[in-house]
Amino acid sequence: MGRAFLVVIDSVGIGGAPDAGDFFNGDLPDTGANTLGHIAQSCAAGEAEEGRSGPLVLPHLDRLGLGAALTLASGMEAPGLGATPEGRWGAATEVSQGKDTPSGHWELAGLPVPWAWQYFPDETPAFPADLTEEVARLAGTDGILGNCHASGTAIIERLGAAHCESGWPICYTSADSVFQIAAHEETFGLDRLLKLCEDIAPRLHEMKVGRVIARPFTGEPGAFQRTANRRDYAIMPPKPVLTNWVQNAGGRVYAVGKIGDIFTMQGIDELRKGPDAKLMEHLHDLVEEAEDGSLTFANFVEFDSLYGHRRDVSGYARALEWFDTEIGKVIAALREGDMLVVTADHGNDPTWAGSDHTRERVPVLVAGTGAGELGQIGFADVAALVAGHLGVEVPA
């Protein structure tokens, strides 16, 4: 029996979402956003020259059908992309009413989100008074800092010194359904931060806030740095998903990256974490080690967290080219009967206004099972593709 590797390149959208006009970055709708297409255009125009140069070069992904999927999704023919596909390829459209991590991943795993997420208003204060009082009580402080929409790096730079002096946690949100708490690992304490997030998460999950995110940082004023000890406390999926299907059928399930957090470890046997470079090492190892009938479900988050939200086109292009080189090695190491699926969970166009995700279709690229067009499919069809390959029954 073969194995399946489902790899999410976080936020690598390909435009064309039919309902993009219903989603906004500030006052600008997401209509026309195209993460991959606009990065390729910027590279070809010489506008992404930091740490790299010239047109976007993604030969392995393009041979799987990346350029073809981009054109299918949005009509765009991007410079440097458009090779004749040698894999199975298509473009997936989301039905869940969100452009965030849980919405995308749950639906990719076969479960469209069955409710509307709670979002906090873009105003100050952003949070209800009774919620902030509860956070302060659990933290053992007289109050919180922030209480607004913010970029994580910017708010740490702005309020980090006050946090270290007062001991009050920094609480902020974004256009996503999230409640984020930043705290210094030494002056506040990492374990204390994680305990605070764990304790307040049930209250926020009752409100249908998708995630509580611990955002630890270190350093001194003027030189604060977020660490790799981020932890997501996500609301639990209300029904079994792909990981459960495979595990219940007797297959082993490996989670790489933040997959364990997204699915609250439901249906997961083993978790491997780290920055993206380390996650790629884990993926290479699992291609060598994972047993027959297993599912490896991986997320590479730094496209989104380091480059999309920061609107760093050059950095995003560098990350894509690095990933393309590495995934080429993964493809070459697949065994006969293996399936590799590369997809995404939403967009985050670094050329777009604002700093939030963008509502887009995503590529679905399949190696190991021949060539051919999948066409326009749904996010949940990705779960069905993987389940079918592993011989796992898809619940009604």
Side-chain angles (χ1 to χ4, degrees), residues 109-382:
L111 179 65
V113 177
W115 54 64
W117 296 111
Q118 168 72 48
Y119 299 94
F120 295 108
D122 190 0
E123 56 191 43
T124 303
F127 308 124
D130 60 338
L131 176 60
T132 60
E133 291 168 3
E134 179 68 2
V135 173
R137 185 188 70 79
L138 292 170
T141 61
D142 293 328
I144 67 168
L145 299 173
N147 203 346
C148 60
H149 280 233
S151 158
T153 51
I155 201 167
I156 290 169
E157 181 178 346
R158 178 165 63 89
L159 296 176
H163 159 74
C164 292
E165 182 176 345
S166 68
W168 291 13
I170 303 170
C171 302
Y172 62 102
T173 187
S174 71
D176 295 331
S177 181
V178 294
F179 187 89
Q180 305 192 72
I181 306 178
H184 198 282
E185 287 195 358
E186 284 82 38
T187 62
F188 190 88
L190 176 59
D191 290 342
R192 183 182 172 198
L193 170 61
L194 299 180
K195 180 69 162 54
L196 172 59
C197 291
E198 182 179 357
D199 288 346
I200 197 62
R203 166 76 179 273
L204 287 150
H205 293 165
E206 288 179 6
M207 299 168 61
K208 293 300 184 283
V209 175
R211 287 176 294 162
V212 177
I213 306 177
R215 290 288 197 175
F217 63 97
T218 58
E220 303 294 330
F224 291 123
Q225 294 286 335
R226 293 201 294 197
T227 75
N229 293 319
R230 162 182 170 160
R231 183 81 60 82
D232 290 39
Y233 297 84
I235 193 168
M236 185 179 295
K239 295 181 180 180
V241 295
L242 176 64
T243 53
N244 303 108
W245 308 345
V246 174
Q247 191 181 66
N248 292 342
R252 188 168 180 83
V253 179
Y254 299 92
V256 178
K258 64 179 185 177
I259 296 298
D261 292 334
I262 294 167
F263 293 101
T264 62
M265 291 301 292
Q266 298 302 299
I268 292 168
D269 295 293
E270 183 178 330
L271 174 63
R272 303 189 184 190
K273 301 192 73 173
D276 276 11
K278 185 64 177 178
L279 299 183
M280 186 59 75
E281 292 179 17
H282 292 320
L283 182 59
H284 284 304
D285 290 343
L286 286 165
V287 169
E288 294 296 324
E289 302 166 2
E291 55 265 61
D292 288 348
S294 64
L295 166 66
T296 296
F297 197 168
N299 171 283
F300 289 84
V301 71
E302 291 176 7
F303 301 100
D304 185 55
S305 62
L306 297 186
Y307 309 116
H309 286 300
R310 300 182 189 183
R311 297 302 188 246
D312 180 353
V313 179
S314 294
Y316 209 131
R318 289 196 308 272
L320 284 168
E321 291 173 335
W322 165 80
F323 179 85
D324 184 85
T325 298
E326 294 299 322
I327 207 66
K329 300 173 187 175
V330 170
I331 293 169
L334 293 174
R335 302 173 188 166
E336 185 177 355
D338 286 346
M339 167 192 275
L340 168 73
V341 181
V342 179
T343 186
D345 54 342
H346 50 71
N348 198 342
D349 189 338
T351 73
W352 212 243
S355 60
D356 296 317
H357 297 154
T358 43
R359 180 75 165 185
E360 301 179 42
R361 288 180 167 128
V362 300
V364 180
L365 312 175
V366 185
T369 61
E373 181 177 346
L374 296 169
Q376 294 277 11
I377 63 175
F379 274 37
D381 292 324
V382 174

Side-chain angles (χ1 to χ4, degrees), residues 98-116:
K99 53 176 181 174
D100 49 49
T101 294
S103 297
H105 282 79
W106 285 15
E107 193 168 330
L108 288 169
L111 179 65
V113 177
W115 54 64

